[in-house]
Amino acid sequence: MKRALLAFPLALPLALLLAGGAAAEPPQSGFALMAPETQAMQRDDTANPGMLWVQEGEALWAQSGCTGCHGDAPGSMRGAASRYPAWDATRQAPIDLAGRIEQCRVDRQGAAPLEREGEPLLALSAYVAHQSRGLPIDPPEDPRLAPARALGEALFRERRGQLDLSCAQCHDDNAGRRLGGSPIPQGHPTGYPLYRLEWQGLGSLQRRLRNCMAGVRSEPYAYGAPEYVAIEAFLMVRARGLALETPAVRP
Amino acid sequence: MARVLINLPRSAKRGELIEIRTLIQHGMETGYRPGPNGVTQQRDIIRSFTCLFDNEEVFHAELYQAIAANPFITFSMLATASGILAFTWTGDNGFAQTETRALTVT
């Protein structure tokens, strides 16, 4: 379980995969396709390892002085994660939740930037997103986000990598079918940051997307790249109404 | 200090069998895995876990490389009297952490 299983199995029956199943049905979280044991692990906060990061985030929230402006997170941050990525007026660009947290830290508090996929930022993001657990994904009706969503959709439909596959070919056309033994989910960003058993740790949506990109043998974008925010902006619209699960558990 | 989640009832009836669940943040690096630079990473695991009830051992486990990161250990105990539970994890590189919880038995 400790190996980094980056590439999807090569002996993949491409013909079958490309035959094209039904178009995306009503949105369904990847949770529904998991083994009952993994579902139980996510449901039980005393067994869900993601809660360790949520706890860490709670301590960081107090230590980093977030309380000074925002008060207690359970009140002030409820629902925040369901509205991201949002439009950032300062940068005139869409911003994701981790980016917003960094903006508060760096621009408002003068703190040194955190590593994008480092434990402290993951913990803070998990703590903030956890406050929205159970709430439906509710992308803002903001026309300024339209170009990013359109770019995200184009990237989602673009074939990439040595396997020449688009996200849509797996997550729209073949969702619910199997790829080398594991079910293909519809690919909704409901639970991030989440605990992935394969990672043995918490990871962001960007890490998940990098895994999918490397899986088709394409070069992933660097962490923090605007392409990820665009893909996320599209994925959130696509997942509208699904309940947030942070911290989810995934195989 | 590693983050720890311990779950047990605050109070129990005398003679009740209670369930105790513990989760600790630890990478459990096996010592078999090459790092990003190709060099095998040193083993860094939790090797032992004990639970004392008023200084008397009620549960002990030895851990090995095959155990996943962030070990989840659950066990049960017969509640006989009120007292303090002390949970200790020790491991490689001087890792040692103890957490205590009070149990009230009525």
Side-chain angles (χ1 to χ4, degrees):
Chain A
M1 286 304 286
K2 285 244 173 179
R3 284 169 304 143
L5 289 171
L6 282 184
F8 292 110
L10 252 194
L12 192 158
L14 275 186
L16 180 137
L17 187 71
L18 298 180
E25 301 291 304
Q28 177 200 54
S29 160
F31 179 89
L33 300 176
M34 301 197 306
E37 297 78 15
T38 320
Q39 291 184 341
M41 187 191 267
Q42 172 173 329
R43 275 204 199 97
D44 180 350
D45 282 349
T46 65
N48 180 342
M51 290 307 289
L52 292 166
W53 279 262
V54 169
Q55 195 190 31
E56 175 86 35
E58 183 176 7
L60 283 173
W61 175 272
Q63 277 163 31
S64 325
C66 314
T67 321
C69 289
H70 292 294
D72 286 339
S76 64
M77 291 293 138
R78 179 130 180 97
S82 65
R83 302 188 292 265
Y84 276 78
W87 183 254
D88 175 23
T90 330
R91 280 172 221 180
Q92 291 291 304
I95 191 167
D96 64 1
L97 190 65
R100 182 68 97 197
I101 293 172
E102 265 301 77
Q103 191 177 47
C104 275
R105 291 186 59 267
V106 176
D107 297 358
R108 292 185 227 279
Q109 301 188 287
L114 291 173
E115 206 185 309
R116 181 80 210 195
E117 197 66 15
E119 300 284 299
L121 190 53
L122 284 173
L124 272 173
S125 306
Y127 180 59
V128 170
H130 180 59
Q131 308 309 325
S132 302
R133 185 164 71 170
L135 295 181
I137 290 179
D138 185 20
E141 303 286 343
D142 187 336
R144 294 171 298 180
L145 290 168
R149 287 171 179 160
L151 172 63
E153 175 158 15
L155 293 170
F156 190 80
R157 306 202 178 284
E158 179 182 277
R159 287 169 164 243
R160 63 180 72 229
Q162 287 177 333
L163 298 191
D164 196 29
L165 285 171
S166 70
C167 318
Q169 282 175 299
C170 281
H171 293 298
D172 280 345
D173 302 347
N174 286 286
R177 301 172 79 177
R178 284 179 173 270
L179 174 64
S182 49
I184 305 177
Q186 291 179 4
H188 295 300
T190 45
Y192 291 84
L194 58 68
Y195 192 88
R196 194 163 177 225
L197 301 179
E198 187 183 304
W199 296 334
Q200 307 245 318
L202 204 79
S204 69
L205 176 64
Q206 296 197 1
R207 183 167 178 195
R208 171 68 253 181
L209 299 184
R210 288 170 67 86
N211 280 190
C212 278
M213 289 173 187
V216 296
R217 308 189 154 210
S218 72
E219 183 73 46
Y221 310 109
Y223 276 116
E227 284 87 350
Y228 289 126
V229 182
I231 294 175
E232 182 178 2
F234 168 68
L235 289 179
M236 290 295 268
V237 171
R238 192 171 161 265
R240 186 193 302 277
L242 284 181
L244 285 172
E245 302 164 41
T246 311
V249 175
R250 290 289 182 272
Chain B
M1 284 257 289
R3 291 280 155 200
V4 170
L5 289 171
I6 297 172
N7 193 267
L8 74 158
R10 270 164 197 277
S11 64
K13 293 215 162 53
R14 193 176 310 276
E16 192 182 334
L17 198 61
I18 60 166
E19 195 188 23
I20 300 175
R21 323 177 110 209
T22 69
L23 190 59
I24 185 165
Q25 199 166 32
H26 194 289
M28 296 294 282
E29 187 56 58
T30 58
Y32 302 131
R33 233 173 32 135
N37 57 1
V39 178
T40 306
Q41 288 169 289
Q42 266 203 348
R43 190 184 80 175
D44 184 7
I45 63 169
I46 293 174
R47 288 200 306 258
S48 128
F49 168 76
T50 53
C51 175
L52 305 185
F53 178 68
D54 282 346
N55 294 321
E56 192 191 322
E57 187 171 296
V58 290
F59 184 82
H60 177 89
E62 311 258 305
L63 285 79
Y64 298 92
Q65 283 100 318
I67 290 173
N70 310 305
F72 175 62
I73 299 176
T74 168
F75 56 97
S76 45
M77 187 186 101
L78 204 58
T80 50
S82 298
I84 303 289
L85 287 151
F87 305 87
T88 301
W89 294 260
T90 56
D92 295 334
N93 300 312
F95 185 87
Q97 186 158 338
T98 298
E99 302 278 332
T100 55
R101 295 289 186 276
L103 175 71
T104 307
V105 172
T106 53

